[in-house]
Amino acid sequence: MSADEDGGPSPEEKPPRTGRRGRVFGISGLASGLLTGLLTDGWSQSFSATGWVRIVGVAVAVILLLIWAIYNAPAALQAYRRRRYGVHAPIAAPELHAAAEEAEQWMIALGSDAGGMAAAEWYSMNEPQLREVLLTEKPRDETADDLARICDALEVWYLRRSEPGALLELSEFLSAVADACGRRDLAELAAARAATAYRLMGDLEAASTRLGVSDNVATHTRTAAALTTRRQVERALLHLARAELAPAGNDRDEAVLNARDRLDDARLSRPGPDLAAEVAIYINRAIVQLYQQDPEGALDQLRPAVARATAAGDISGQAHALELTGVAAWMQRSPHEAKRWWQHAEHLYAEVDEREGRARCLQHLGSAEVAAGRLRSARELLEQSALLRTSESEILARYLEAAREIASPPVIAEDAGHRVAVSRLTRSLERIRNHFAR
């Protein structure tokens, strides 16, 4: 959820301490300068003099020498110990810190009206180099936060592109960093990230197990509230995944209700106000309403989601809310209105180069054309969707066959049709990860 979005300044960013140490440093510098001056002709002249002049000169020199020696003694002792015991000072990693800063800045820009397209291009070009940094940099206490920030940035990118295998690798790397540096907060995040990866792979039991591991770490750091919220969202996703697999009936209804409860818990536990997080929660609650066959209730959630996304400059969030608005319109038997919303959403997704979102909208539009019997238009839309997809879609393949007149359109029961339309969109719940990562 890392660049460390809630995080405070890194050690390099901490303001320098002032006070007594600063004043002593000034005295030491003065003493050093005076000693240097006394080694010139003035020093020789004071020692060649007689009487009080010579005594005063020697006394001043001794006092200044003592001040200089006392101030520099700790540094000299530390250097002696390093030489004696072979201890080397840690090597600073300015390149790593700069890479983490840059990745975090582009992560914030992803999906926004402030450079969303440029951010997508930057990640496309630099993702291999960021992975190389993670593979070659040895975890140390002073680099752990920067490594975690790079992991956070890559997580957002992999979720956007639906790459759960790469996401699981990130989790394993962050877990290794946590073990090496004794960072329980990073161990907690790594387990939650693994849960997300396993769920996207379809292994719901492993996902639930990893969430339990994250719970048991039980940290009490400044990020604990954010991680609690993340786990609530992840549990909601697991319930929705189970609802998608369940036949119509009590089991599915119970899973959807559980998902709604977990989202309510996430809304109440989120750490502080956040417009983008509010957008995510409204969208998620709308998905629950769609699962419950309540398009009007979904629209009540989607209208404020669009308003807040527009105010926050969140084009990705705005596009997703409009996409779901189209689903609600379709469920209300308004195909023309649904197509208008999907076209608008597809245009917004294109503005920020969010290809999975574009692919979904094109699939919706193509499916609508198949239903209307306009097969040539349907083929064009569905083939574009297939080109943009990064993973296989069974329902897309079946509609493509129908559009190519290889097979009949999919025959889906009324209730199941609604469920399939919604299930294709649940991946967007990942959006909340960007706000509750660490």
Side-chain angles (χ1 to χ4, degrees), residues 279-299:
V279 171
I281 289 172
Y282 275 118
I283 287 175
N284 299 341
R285 289 167 64 89
I287 289 174
V288 169
Q289 297 296 120
L290 292 174
Y291 260 104
Q292 294 176 321
Q293 309 302 313
D294 183 9
E296 190 57 46
L299 291 172

Side-chain angles (χ1 to χ4, degrees), residues 215-260:
D215 265 328
N216 290 333
V217 174
T219 60
H220 299 283
T221 66
R222 56 184 169 76
T223 62
L227 281 165
T228 297
T229 301
R230 172 174 180 145
R231 285 192 293 269
Q232 297 288 8
V233 173
E234 188 59 47
R235 286 192 171 90
L237 288 163
L238 282 174
H239 287 305
L240 287 178
R242 293 188 177 102
E244 182 179 345
L245 297 174
N250 292 336
D251 288 345
R252 192 209 301 175
D253 293 342
E254 183 181 358
V256 173
L257 288 174
N258 286 335
R260 186 186 65 185

Side-chain angles (χ1 to χ4, degrees), residues 264-438:
D264 288 342
D265 291 341
R267 179 175 58 86
L268 294 173
S269 66
R270 72 185 190 276
D274 186 337
L275 261 184
E278 287 184 37
V279 171
I281 289 172
Y282 275 118
I283 287 175
N284 299 341
R285 289 167 64 89
I287 289 174
V288 169
Q289 297 296 120
L290 292 174
Y291 260 104
Q292 294 176 321
Q293 309 302 313
D294 183 9
E296 190 57 46
L299 291 172
D300 289 340
Q301 301 294 322
L302 292 170
R303 293 184 189 102
V306 171
R308 282 164 172 75
T310 303
D314 181 3
I315 291 181
S316 180
Q318 184 182 353
H320 188 218
L322 294 178
E323 180 190 355
L324 288 173
T325 301
V327 173
W330 185 269
M331 293 173 68
Q332 292 177 321
R333 307 295 192 274
S334 301
H336 295 295
E337 185 180 355
K339 288 170 61 177
R340 180 168 60 86
W341 290 121
W342 288 332
Q343 288 167 348
H344 190 182
E346 192 271 334
H347 174 73
L348 291 176
Y349 280 131
E351 284 189 15
V352 292
D353 196 26
E354 193 161 331
R355 298 186 181 186
E356 285 291 320
R358 285 190 65 200
R360 290 196 306 270
C361 290
L362 291 168
Q363 180 176 326
H364 302 325
L365 292 166
S367 302
E369 292 296 277
V370 169
R374 293 184 285 269
L375 300 187
R376 182 177 178 180
S377 173
R379 283 196 301 271
E380 293 176 357
L381 291 165
L382 293 170
E383 286 170 356
Q384 289 181 57
S385 176
L387 288 174
L388 291 169
R389 287 266 184 194
T390 57
S391 58
E392 296 293 329
S393 169
E394 181 183 352
I395 191 70
L396 172 59
R398 293 170 66 187
Y399 271 109
L400 261 174
E401 289 179 355
R404 292 166 179 165
E405 299 182 273
I406 299 173
S408 299
V411 178
I412 303 173
E414 183 70 14
D415 178 67
H418 293 167
R419 183 174 60 142
V420 170
V422 177
S423 69
R424 290 198 300 265
L425 306 174
T426 55
R427 179 182 305 156
S428 59
L429 285 162
E430 312 296 350
R431 176 183 316 283
I432 207 167
R433 295 282 178 276
N434 305 355
H435 312 288
F436 302 122
R438 274 209 310 136

Side-chain angles (χ1 to χ4, degrees), residues 148-162:
R149 292 163 74 194
I150 292 176
C151 287
D152 292 344
L154 286 175
E155 176 185 25
V156 174
W157 180 244
Y158 292 147
L159 286 172
R160 180 189 176 109
R161 294 177 60 84
S162 187

